[in-house]
Amino acid sequence: MRVTPRQSIVLMWAIAGLFALFAALGTRAAAPWPAWLFGALSALSAGLALAMWRNPQLASEAAAAFATPEEGQWVDPEDPLLLEARARARQSVERMLALHSRHPDKVLVKLAFKTDNGEVERVWAELGGVQGNQLRVRLVSRPLAQDGPVPDELRVPMEEIDDWVLQEDAGVHGAWSVQAELAIAQRSRRPVPAHVAEMRGRFLDPLEP
């Protein structure tokens, strides 16, 4: 389920309104709890909604909490495994470019995208080409915290990518962050998206020996 920060604010207002309705109807029509309790919950929900409206960072965190694991927002970007994955990706840029020359439409790169709300999200983009020390990429999914249109093309310095991946019949090249997320999910006993789980056993560049 994809939840945007704006939707999380609307959801909190809706919850506040529902509790307020229960309080107005009274305990007989609502539930065997006192009406003041529903009033307090309504005020609390409204306060949270107002706080999220005033603080975009809080709204983004709430959206991540409402989202399912498919959004990947539960992963701590500073986890040591992800930091190692990032380092491995940046050390292998030349190999990525060699693979891209043979498969110009199949290489994806992961990068940090700053949304128009000021939030930074890790997103995947299709590698379109190289210009100097920069990669020309096109996002393959819309960032959650982006309200306005997404640029048709972005340029990112090679040394700033988080990961890269190329899937072939022989296996999966790169994808160190994917391996890290799988390990983190197993460690924390969390589910992973089906398309990520399908990569298990196919990695050609293991993150850990």
Side-chain angles (χ1 to χ4, degrees):
M1 178 180 65
R2 174 163 296 193
V3 181
T4 66
R6 181 173 297 176
Q7 287 171 335
S8 68
I9 296 173
V10 172
L11 179 59
M12 288 307 301
W13 279 120
I15 292 173
L18 183 62
F19 282 137
L21 177 62
F22 283 169
L25 290 175
T27 58
R28 287 181 300 176
W33 290 292
W36 65 263
L37 177 59
F38 290 109
L41 291 173
S42 176
L44 177 62
S45 301
L48 288 173
L50 182 60
M52 288 191 290
W53 178 71
R54 291 179 174 177
N55 187 343
Q57 173 66 29
L58 183 59
S60 294
E61 292 175 357
F66 288 132
T68 61
E70 281 76 8
E71 306 303 332
Q73 300 300 307
W74 56 272
V75 180
D76 179 5
E78 299 304 314
D79 187 286
L81 279 176
L82 279 178
L83 294 180
E84 173 64 18
R86 197 174 303 162
R88 294 283 294 276
R90 293 174 181 178
Q91 293 166 1
S92 60
V93 167
E94 292 300 325
R95 179 161 160 255
M96 177 194 72
L97 296 179
L99 288 169
H100 177 257
S101 66
R102 301 202 305 265
H103 308 278
D105 58 346
K106 291 185 177 181
V107 175
L108 299 179
V109 296
K110 194 174 188 179
L111 54 94
F113 177 81
K114 188 173 183 179
T115 70
D116 51 12
N117 283 321
E119 304 300 320
V120 176
E121 295 185 24
R122 260 69 187 185
V123 294
W124 287 97
E126 180 182 333
L127 177 57
V130 182
Q131 185 168 359
N133 193 43
Q134 293 189 323
L135 305 175
R136 293 187 290 105
V137 302
R138 180 180 59 83
L139 298 187
V140 297
S141 60
R142 181 180 177 83
L144 292 175
Q146 179 78 3
D147 287 336
V150 176
D152 293 333
E153 185 176 273
L154 298 172
R155 298 193 180 188
V156 56
M158 294 182 190
E159 65 273 12
E160 293 184 7
I161 65 170
D162 283 358
D163 199 2
W164 61 267
V165 61
L166 168 65
Q167 294 196 56
E168 295 184 296
D169 292 339
V172 180
H173 298 270
W176 292 283
S177 69
V178 178
Q179 298 176 62
E181 290 178 8
L182 283 169
I184 294 169
Q186 183 175 6
R187 183 180 68 200
S188 57
R189 298 183 179 179
R190 300 193 65 148
V192 295
H195 70 279
V196 174
E198 289 174 356
M199 294 187 189
R200 282 193 177 105
R202 301 188 64 239
F203 297 111
L204 301 175
D205 304 300
L207 177 62
E208 296 181 306

